[in-house]
């Protein structure tokens, strides 16, 4: 069971990126998929989460209105559309899974992928 995040890159402040989280070995139907990020020298933090039960949740006030999480269950892929990016969004972004319901607790999630680096220049 593995999740793989992709879509990161270098973008100027105000730009946009769309991250993808694809699953291998299981289907998203019975899982909540969360997006997390970890900036250099900082702890990993929850950004957003989506599940059939909870819908879309955003854990950080700083991304509300700028980031949108969505899912394509037919493709077994979850997306994070990031608009109006800011330098403080620079981090490695990860996706991970937890059964059924979203939670803010990072340690509850499993099947972490390698992450994808997002760099926002000022």
């Amino acid at each position: 069971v593995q999740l793989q995040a992709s879509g990161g890159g270098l973008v100027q402040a105000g730009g946009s990126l769309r991250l993808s989280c694809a699953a291998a070995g299981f289907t998203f139907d019975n899982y909540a998929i969360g997006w997390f990020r970890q900036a250099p020298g900082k702890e990993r933090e929850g950004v957003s989460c989506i599940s059939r039960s909870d819908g879309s949740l955003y854990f950080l006030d700083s991304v509300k209105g700028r980031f949108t999480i969505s899912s394509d269950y037919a493709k077994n892929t979850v997306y994070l559309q990031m608009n109006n990016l800011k330098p403080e969004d620079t981090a490695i972004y990860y996706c991970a899974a937890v059964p059924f319901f979203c939670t803010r607790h990072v340690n509850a999630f499993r099947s972490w992928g390698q992450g994808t680096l997002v760099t926002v220049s000022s």
Side-chain angles (χ1 to χ4, degrees), residues 48-51 54-58 68-71 102:
S48 184
C49 185
I50 191 168
S51 74
D54 301 302
S56 304
L57 301 177
Y58 299 93
T68 302
I69 191 170
S70 62
S71 59
C102 290

Side-chain angles (χ1 to χ4, degrees), residues 72-115:
D72 186 334
Y73 289 101
K75 295 183 178 179
N76 225 28
T77 302
V78 169
Y79 304 97
L80 186 68
Q81 177 68 43
M82 305 187 297
N83 298 328
N84 191 22
L85 282 161
K86 303 177 180 181
E88 52 263 42
D89 295 319
T90 295
I92 299 174
Y93 283 72
Y94 302 87
C95 58
V98 64
F100 298 113
F101 303 108
C102 290
T103 174
R104 293 177 176 270
H105 299 291
V106 175
N107 292 336
F109 285 80
R110 299 290 181 265
S111 305
W112 294 88
Q114 289 187 334

